[in-house]
Amino acid sequence: MTDTWLIVGLGNPGSEYSGNRHNVGQMVLDELASRIGGKFKVHKSRAQVVEGRLGIGGPRVVLAKPMTYMNVSGGPVSALAKFFDVAPDHVIAVHDEIDIPFNTVKLKIGGGEGGHNGLRDISRALATKDYLRVRVGVGRPPGRMDTADFVLRDFATPEKKDLPFLLDEAADAVELLITDGLLSAQQKHHAARS
């Protein structure tokens, strides 16, 4: 296995979904791609991919945005992991998380998918839950709004003001996770909101 990291931003394809809460993972990958100076190109694995390094001579990363719908993200992730020879412990899924407040970033490895169909499909395709997750908080639906309706809506106007800072923090969390490890990244990003 190589020392390459596969960072997957979850979301749905198409411009009508691009601003949705469900696509925040792909928004974070756009931020990471701009940091490494890369442009996404279509890969045969049904994903858009950018290859590069974090910093000068830093770790090699493959940024990937599956071109499939969220609930069938596993196929492209598994194909990319095989193509780039990346073990599950070097796969990072960046995704929306309703169980933590908006403007919050949490990190973990393994565990349950919390009803997130994209994560469930990745766990199935990789045959393990032991991959890293950067969970970007989008908050819970108001009132009795259906969760699916909530995550398939764009961020609210007040949230949009803070969104660039949230994307920046999530991108920082991905970089720290790779360079310093899970515990260090958790200590920095979890403590910031306590």
Side-chain angles (χ1 to χ4, degrees):
M1 293 282 166
T2 65
D3 266 347
T4 300
W5 290 83
L6 173 60
I7 306 158
V8 182
L10 297 187
N12 285 314
S15 58
E16 68 271 30
Y17 297 107
S18 64
N20 289 179
R21 290 177 178 89
H22 223 20
N23 276 46
V24 74
Q26 294 195 351
M27 296 176 200
V28 172
L29 259 70
D30 289 336
E31 170 61 25
L32 285 165
S34 75
R35 290 181 181 191
I36 66 171
K39 296 240 185 288
F40 283 96
K41 295 183 177 84
V42 175
H43 190 270
K44 66 182 181 179
S45 62
R46 294 178 301 151
Q48 295 180 347
V49 170
V50 172
E51 296 177 62
R53 292 200 176 273
L54 291 184
I56 297 168
R60 182 168 181 255
V61 294
V62 176
L63 309 178
K65 297 194 288 189
M67 292 163 29
T68 57
Y69 284 94
M70 173 77 83
N71 60 352
V72 287
S73 300
V77 174
S78 174
L80 287 163
K82 285 186 182 92
F83 183 86
F84 290 103
D85 196 26
V86 176
D89 67 350
H90 273 54
V91 173
I92 302 171
V94 185
H95 65 91
D96 61 307
E97 178 61 70
I98 63 165
D99 289 330
I100 56 178
F102 172 74
N103 226 1
T104 303
V105 175
K106 301 263 186 194
L107 304 94
K108 71 175 190 173
I109 187 166
E113 290 95 6
H116 198 295
N117 291 329
L119 294 176
R120 187 174 294 125
D121 200 57
I122 292 171
S123 297
R124 182 197 53 74
L126 294 177
T128 183
K129 294 181 179 191
D130 293 333
Y131 54 92
L132 294 151
R133 295 108 186 259
V134 174
R135 306 157 66 211
V136 184
V138 296
R140 295 204 66 81
R144 294 191 170 161
M145 183 187 287
D146 181 69
T147 300
D149 290 340
F150 177 69
V151 296
L152 291 174
R153 289 193 176 175
D154 286 1
F155 286 95
T157 303
E159 293 171 327
K160 286 180 183 172
K161 285 187 232 149
D162 290 325
L163 187 58
F165 303 105
L166 177 61
L167 300 178
D168 195 51
E169 182 183 347
D172 288 349
V174 170
E175 291 183 349
L176 193 61
L177 185 56
I178 291 169
T179 58
D180 290 23
L182 178 61
L183 188 60
S184 179
Q186 284 176 326
Q187 286 171 338
K188 179 175 191 322
H189 291 278
H190 294 194
R193 301 279 184 230
S194 56

